[in-house]
Amino acid sequence: MSHPRFDPAACDTLAECVKEIERTTDAELVIVVRARSGNYAHADYLLGLLLAFVTLLFLLFSPFTFHEYWVPIDVVLAFAVGSFISSRSNGLRRLFSREKIRSGAVRTAAAAMFYDAGIANTNAGMGVLIYLSLLERKLELIADRGVLKKVPSQDWNRELFELHQVGKEPEPVSFKSAVQRFGKLLATHVPATGENPNELPDRPQFDLK
């Protein structure tokens, strides 16, 4: 059974969701979904080294006879195959990388996006970023001062917890529902006044390559 994917249809659905939310709030909501936030070449190399080591042990202690010149060739090929397989698997990259590194990569990428995309530069300080990174299964929520001043910390932390939970098992339907719930929080504490123009694009940014 196939699982729903973050595809163009999901992007369209989320774009409509953002438009609906921004009709009820002065906050400027931006959604970013990325395939990954870091370079996990170290995880690929680690699996490659592991497979190369296992191959070397097999060649050295196998009851079969191999010509000596095949040993380095087979070890290098095993390393290349292991690295390639890891580079195509989010699960293996998670397995062979540390949680701290993955979390740090997502936080850094989200913070950079908050500034690079102009979310931090809205006139009234109303920018909000929801940043979801699929490989790491992490979600970051960053809001500008105008929003943080108006939303009670207890309510904010509750919604932040719910969004983080959705980020652990990311899929479009639950993600959209979490965004809609967060939109209700914004509508309650940062209601639309009609004085705040739409300064940021409503369409989510999908980078899934």
Side-chain angles (χ1 to χ4, degrees):
M1 181 177 179
S2 61
H3 296 283
R5 299 177 60 187
F6 286 91
D7 54 15
C11 188
D12 292 340
T13 300
L14 286 169
E16 289 301 316
C17 181
V18 172
K19 288 180 182 178
E20 288 296 323
I21 290 172
E22 291 191 353
R23 290 191 184 103
T24 64
T25 177
D26 275 349
E28 292 279 341
L29 182 61
V30 174
I31 295 175
V32 175
V33 180
R34 279 188 172 173
R36 60 190 170 277
S37 295
N39 180 349
Y40 292 93
H42 67 283
D44 303 338
Y45 297 155
L46 184 57
L47 179 60
L49 286 170
L50 179 61
L51 190 58
F53 180 68
V54 170
T55 300
L56 179 61
L57 290 179
F58 175 77
L59 292 173
L60 291 177
F61 298 105
S62 171
F64 305 105
T65 302
F66 299 94
H67 196 284
E68 291 180 357
Y69 68 74
W70 281 111
V71 174
I73 294 175
D74 287 344
V75 169
V76 170
L77 283 175
F79 174 81
V81 169
S83 298
F84 177 79
I85 291 174
S86 176
S87 71
R88 295 296 185 270
S89 170
N90 285 353
L92 287 173
R93 281 183 155 182
R94 282 192 297 270
L95 180 63
F96 287 94
S97 61
R98 295 173 59 191
E99 167 75 16
K100 184 178 180 180
I101 292 176
R102 296 196 302 273
S103 297
V106 176
R107 283 194 299 270
T108 300
M113 178 62 67
F114 188 70
Y115 289 95
D116 293 345
I119 305 168
N121 297 322
T122 61
N123 290 332
M126 290 292 176
V128 180
L129 169 66
I130 297 178
Y131 179 98
L132 177 64
S133 197
L134 301 179
L135 182 149
E136 296 85 354
R137 294 181 177 175
K138 299 286 182 183
L139 184 148
E140 288 290 325
L141 174 63
I142 305 177
D144 210 343
R145 61 192 182 281
V147 174
L148 294 176
K149 286 179 181 178
K150 294 188 175 184
V151 181
S153 59
Q154 184 175 359
D155 293 344
W156 182 266
N157 290 334
R158 182 176 62 250
E159 289 302 323
L160 180 60
F161 175 80
E162 294 297 331
L163 284 166
H164 281 166
Q165 293 302 111
V166 170
K168 292 179 180 179
E169 295 291 337
E171 58 90 18
V173 175
S174 61
F175 182 59
K176 177 190 172 185
S177 297
V179 171
Q180 288 174 324
R181 290 195 302 270
F182 180 67
K184 293 178 182 178
L185 175 74
L186 295 175
T188 299
H189 298 287
V190 195
T193 62
E195 300 173 358
N196 188 33
N198 190 9
E199 302 174 65
L200 299 171
D202 295 332
R203 188 169 183 81
Q205 297 182 37
F206 277 26
D207 180 8
L208 303 179
K209 294 181 180 180

